[in-house]
């Protein structure tokens, strides 16, 4: 008996097609990366960039614990001082201890009664009693004609 001649299978993988697919995939990925960079690079090119600022390496806190201690110390200092927040609007800041004592001794104001009182003619008295030198009190007295 003669041996049958066997041929290698040629239908499974074609090396040329595999290399073409791999090359095409590589070209697609490179073009996609370039396209993404062009589409989503939002850095304005017309603005001059400072020499010491780098978006890749932002400035970090060198001593975060000390920064927190300083921040809290400043907050505590603000809670203990007397001063104007907005002088023109008549808004002042009082020390927190004084504010707590005032609340304990006088209680919280009843805003519903003050709203109805300010709607009437006696509203200026409430404003003047609460903050006599405030611009709101002067405006109220001018509008009601009781300027002293």
């Amino acid at each position: 008996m003669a041996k049958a001649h066997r041929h290698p299978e040629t239908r499974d993988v074609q090396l040329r097609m595999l290399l073409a697919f791999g090359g095409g995939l590589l070209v697609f990925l490179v073009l996609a990366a370039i396209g993404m960079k062009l589409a989503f690079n939002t850095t304005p090119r017309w603005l001059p960039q400072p020499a010491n600022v780098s978006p890749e390496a932002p400035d970090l806190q060198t001593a975060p614990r000390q920064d927190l201690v300083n921040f809290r110390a400043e907050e505590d200092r603000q809670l203990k001082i007397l001063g104007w927040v907005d002088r023109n609007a008549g808004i002042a800041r009082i020390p927190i201890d004084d504010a707590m004592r005032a609340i304990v001794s006088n209680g919280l104001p009843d805003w519903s009664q003050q709203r109805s009182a300010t709607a009437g003619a006696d509203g200026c008295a409430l404003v003047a009693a609460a903050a006599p030198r405030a611009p709101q009190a002067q405006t109220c007295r001018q509008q009601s004609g009781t300027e002293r």
Side-chain angles (χ1 to χ4, degrees), residues 60-71:
L60 299 176
Q61 290 177 306
T62 56
R65 289 182 193 265
Q66 186 60 39
D67 291 345
L68 182 61
V69 167
N70 293 342
F71 176 72

Side-chain angles (χ1 to χ4, degrees), residues 69-100:
V69 167
N70 293 342
F71 176 72
R72 288 188 175 158
E74 176 61 23
E75 283 184 329
D76 289 342
R77 188 187 72 76
Q78 290 286 328
L79 287 174
K80 294 176 182 173
I81 63 171
L82 179 67
W84 287 104
V85 174
D86 185 358
R87 179 171 258 173
N88 293 331
I91 301 171
R93 172 181 43 241
I94 64 172
I96 190 75
D97 295 333
D98 295 347
M100 288 190 289

Side-chain angles (χ1 to χ4, degrees), residues 1-122:
M1 264 208 294
K3 257 183 150 177
H5 184 61
R6 290 188 159 170
H7 295 291
E9 185 69 46
T10 59
R11 293 181 300 172
D12 285 344
V13 177
Q14 295 176 357
L15 186 58
R16 245 186 225 155
M17 292 301 281
L18 185 62
L19 290 176
F21 177 76
L25 183 62
L26 184 64
V27 168
F28 173 75
L29 290 175
V30 168
L31 290 176
I34 292 170
M36 295 291 278
K37 177 69 174 165
L38 292 174
F40 294 109
N41 186 8
T42 59
T43 305
R45 293 190 175 112
W46 62 88
L47 294 176
Q49 297 293 327
N52 61 351
V53 176
S54 171
E56 289 82 22
D59 293 336
L60 299 176
Q61 290 177 306
T62 56
R65 289 182 193 265
Q66 186 60 39
D67 291 345
L68 182 61
V69 167
N70 293 342
F71 176 72
R72 288 188 175 158
E74 176 61 23
E75 283 184 329
D76 289 342
R77 188 187 72 76
Q78 290 286 328
L79 287 174
K80 294 176 182 173
I81 63 171
L82 179 67
W84 287 104
V85 174
D86 185 358
R87 179 171 258 173
N88 293 331
I91 301 171
R93 172 181 43 241
I94 64 172
I96 190 75
D97 295 333
D98 295 347
M100 288 190 289
R101 271 191 231 99
I103 294 293
V104 168
S105 63
N106 300 332
L108 289 172
D110 186 6
W111 299 108
S112 63
Q113 288 180 352
Q114 287 188 6
R115 252 189 246 121
S116 63
T118 55
D122 200 25

